[in-house]
Amino acid sequence: MPFNLDKFVASPSVEELDSLKKSEIVKVAKHYGIEFQPLMRKDEIKRYVLEYLVDESILPSTVLETAITVPTDNTFELKRLEMEINKEIRLKEMEREREREEREREERERERKMQREEREERERREEKAREHEFRLKQLELGVIKASDPKIGLDTGGFDVSKHVKFVPKFQEDNVEKFFNHFEKLGEQLKWPRDKWSILIQSNFTGKAQEVYSALSIEDSMDYDKVKKAILQAYELVPEAYRQKFRKYRKADTQTYVEFAYQKERHFDRWCASKKVSTFDTLRQLMLVEEFKRCVNDDIKTHLEENKADKLKEVANLADQYALTHKLGKVGQTQNKGQFSRPNKKYGNSSGTTSNSGSQSGSISPTNSGKKQPDSSRQKNDQAS
C-alpha cells in the first residue's frame, strides 16, 4: 500500500513511523520543516522526527524512551576499537598456536634425532664388539697375518690355541695370585709377551670379563693395560691389604726369597692403598696401627669406622668414645677373672658352711691372692 503523507500528518503514530522507509521518513521530515543531512541514516532522521512531534505535543514524551537509540560518533569509535582489539586477540592466539605447534614439531624432531643417534651408537658398539670378538678368535686360531695393519701384531708362527690350555684358572678372590702364576708360566714356557693378553683373556670370568670387554681393541692387546684395569676393578680396602701383610706366613714349599718377595708385595699394596709416599705418612701408618692394637675392640671398631689416618686424630676419637661410653681410661678394661667361682668343697649356693666352716662365695684357696689373666688385654695384644 503506497504511503499517504496527509493521512500520517492527520494521525501520526510511532507504529506508523516505524513502518516507513527512509524515503518516506524524509518526506515527513520535510513536511514538518525538520533540518537534517541527506547522508544521515534512517534511524537518525526518524529520531529527529520523533523529537519534533514530542516538542510540538503531538506525541507523548514516552515515545522517546522506547525509540531506537541513534549511535553517536563515540559509539561507532568504541565499536571499531572493540573489533580491532578482538582481531588482534585472535591474531595473537593464532600466533601462539603456531608457536606451540612449532615447538611440538621441534621436540618431536629432537626426540627422533636422539633415538636415531642412540640406535646408531648402539649399532656401532655392537659392531665394534663383534669385530673385537672376531679378531680375538682369529688370534686364538693363529690365522691373522703379520701384515695386518689394524692389529699390528706378528704371530711369528706362535699357535695360541696350543698354549691357551696351560693358562691357570682365574680366581676372583685372589686376582694377584692369578697374575703372578700366569707371569711365571709365561716366562717358563717362553710365551711372547705380546701374546699374553690373548692367552689370559680366555680364562677371565665375572667382573674381569666385563672390564676386559669394555677395553678398546688396542688396549685389550696390551697385557700391562689389561692387568692394570683388572687390578683396579678388584681393588681391596686398606684393611684387607694390612691383614694380608700381617698374616702372611711362609709356606713349606716356598723359599725364603719367595716368601720375602710376597711379603714385600703385600706391604707395598697396603702402603699404596693408604697413599703412603713420605716418611711422615709411613710413620703415621705404623703409629696408628700400633695404637689400634693396644685398645679394646669397641674403640678399635669405632676408629675403623671413622677412618682417621693420624695418631692425634685417632687418640681424640678414642677419648671421645671412652667419655661417651664411660669406659674410663682409653684402652683399659676392667680386670676379669680375678676371683674364681665358689668351690663347692668350701661352700654351697644356699649360704651354709662346709665342714671347714667356709661360707659360700669365699675365695678359692687355689686362686687366693692371685689374679687371673686379663682375657681382653691378651686378645688385644694378639690382634693384628
Side-chain angles (χ1 to χ4, degrees):
M1 182 177 180
F3 170 66
N4 190 331
L5 178 61
D6 295 334
K7 183 179 178 180
F8 177 84
V9 172
S11 179
S13 67
V14 176
E15 292 78 12
E16 182 69 13
L17 187 62
D18 288 338
S19 65
L20 299 180
K21 300 178 181 178
K22 180 180 178 180
S23 59
E24 296 169 344
I25 295 175
V26 169
K27 291 180 181 180
V28 174
K30 288 181 179 180
H31 173 78
Y32 288 118
I34 300 171
E35 296 181 356
F36 62 91
Q37 297 294 330
L39 298 178
M40 292 178 68
R41 297 174 57 186
K42 171 186 172 181
D43 292 337
E44 294 175 328
I45 300 173
K46 185 173 68 173
R47 178 77 180 185
Y48 286 169
V49 172
L50 287 173
E51 289 177 351
Y52 174 83
L53 295 175
V54 170
D55 291 340
E56 295 297 326
S57 300
I58 299 174
L59 292 175
S61 59
T62 55
V63 299
L64 294 176
E65 297 176 2
T66 59
I68 299 174
T69 302
V70 179
T72 62
D73 293 342
N74 289 337
T75 304
F76 284 115
E77 182 66 19
L78 291 174
K79 190 69 175 178
R80 184 183 64 80
L81 291 174
E82 182 180 358
M83 293 175 63
E84 290 181 356
I85 291 173
N86 291 335
K87 181 180 179 180
E88 186 176 354
I89 291 174
R90 287 194 300 272
L91 290 174
K92 288 183 177 180
E93 290 178 351
M94 293 173 62
E95 182 66 22
R96 285 196 295 268
E97 182 66 19
R98 283 196 298 269
E99 291 177 355
R100 184 183 64 80
E101 293 177 353
E102 181 66 19
R103 286 195 300 269
E104 291 178 353
R105 186 187 65 79
E106 292 177 354
E107 183 65 24
R108 289 193 297 269
E109 183 64 26
R110 280 196 298 269
E111 290 180 359
R112 286 194 294 268
K113 183 178 179 181
M114 289 177 61
Q115 292 175 357
R116 184 171 60 254
E117 291 177 351
E118 290 176 357
R119 184 174 61 255
E120 292 175 353
E121 179 63 23
R122 183 169 60 253
E123 291 175 354
R124 282 195 297 270
R125 288 198 301 267
E126 292 175 354
E127 179 64 24
K128 186 176 180 180
R130 286 194 296 268
E131 181 182 355
H132 190 182
E133 184 178 358
F134 175 71
R135 292 191 176 279
L136 289 177
K137 290 296 183 183
Q138 286 182 317
L139 286 170
E140 290 177 5
L141 297 174
V143 297
I144 285 189
K145 297 181 180 180
S147 59
D148 191 339
K150 294 183 179 180
I151 301 299
L153 289 177
D154 183 4
T155 57
F158 181 76
D159 192 345
V160 176
S161 60
K162 291 182 179 180
H163 295 268
V164 71
K165 60 185 177 182
F166 297 109
V167 177
K169 183 179 179 181
F170 182 74
Q171 300 176 0
E172 286 197 289
D173 57 344
N174 201 337
V175 180
E176 289 181 315
K177 181 179 179 180
F178 167 76
F179 278 106
N180 292 336
H181 189 185
F182 174 81
E183 290 170 3
K184 285 183 180 180
L185 281 176
E187 296 294 341
Q188 293 171 359
L189 299 178
K190 301 187 183 304
W191 290 337
R193 191 174 179 85
D194 58 358
K195 308 300 185 297
W196 283 14
S197 61
I198 305 171
L199 290 166
I200 200 172
Q201 61 84 28
S202 61
N203 281 13
F204 283 154
T205 59
K207 188 188 297 184
Q209 193 174 49
E210 295 177 3
V211 172
Y212 181 80
S213 299
L215 294 174
S216 65
I217 295 179
E218 292 75 12
D219 289 346
S220 67
M221 305 306 296
D222 189 324
Y223 172 77
D224 292 328
K225 291 182 178 180
V226 172
K227 179 181 177 181
K228 181 179 179 181
I230 300 298
L231 289 177
Q232 286 179 347
Y234 286 92
E235 191 73 35
L236 298 176
V237 295
E239 178 60 19
Y241 286 122
R242 186 192 71 81
Q243 291 184 16
K244 278 189 175 184
F245 168 68
R246 292 300 184 190
K247 295 180 180 180
Y248 185 72
R249 297 292 182 267
K250 178 183 175 299
D252 294 338
T253 57
Q254 275 184 317
T255 66
Y256 285 99
V257 172
E258 291 173 337
F259 168 69
Y261 172 74
Q262 292 299 331
K263 194 75 167 177
E264 183 181 23
R265 283 177 61 87
H266 289 315
F267 180 75
D268 290 341
R269 294 289 289 175
W270 177 29
C271 291
S273 66
K274 297 294 289 185
K275 296 181 174 56
V276 173
S277 58
T278 63
F279 172 76
D280 183 62
T281 53
L282 178 61
R283 178 173 175 270
Q284 291 295 326
L285 181 67
M286 296 292 102
L287 288 172
V288 169
E289 184 197 26
E290 179 63 19
F291 183 89
K292 292 178 181 178
R293 194 182 69 83
C294 297
V295 299
N296 62 40
D297 291 341
D298 291 340
I299 293 180
K300 183 177 180 180
T301 302
H302 177 68
L303 298 177
E304 293 291 349
E305 291 174 351
N306 284 273
K307 301 184 183 301
D309 293 330
K310 297 185 182 299
L311 181 62
K312 187 175 181 180
E313 296 174 358
V314 170
N316 288 334
L317 287 172
D319 276 335
Q320 293 172 9
Y321 184 88
L323 181 63
T324 304
H325 295 78
K326 298 181 181 180
L327 295 178
K329 294 183 179 180
V330 178
Q332 293 184 358
T333 57
Q334 295 180 353
N335 291 331
K336 297 179 181 180
Q338 184 173 358
F339 301 103
S340 64
R341 292 182 179 274
N343 193 321
K344 290 185 178 181
K345 181 178 179 180
Y346 298 96
N348 54 39
S349 59
S350 62
T352 59
T353 58
S354 65
N355 294 335
S356 63
S358 299
Q359 294 182 351
S360 175
S362 61
I363 300 175
S364 172
T366 58
N367 296 324
S368 178
K370 296 181 181 180
K371 292 184 178 180
Q372 295 295 325
D374 190 334
S375 59
S376 63
R377 183 174 300 173
Q378 285 183 342
K379 183 177 181 181
N380 289 331
D381 291 341
Q382 294 174 358
S384 57

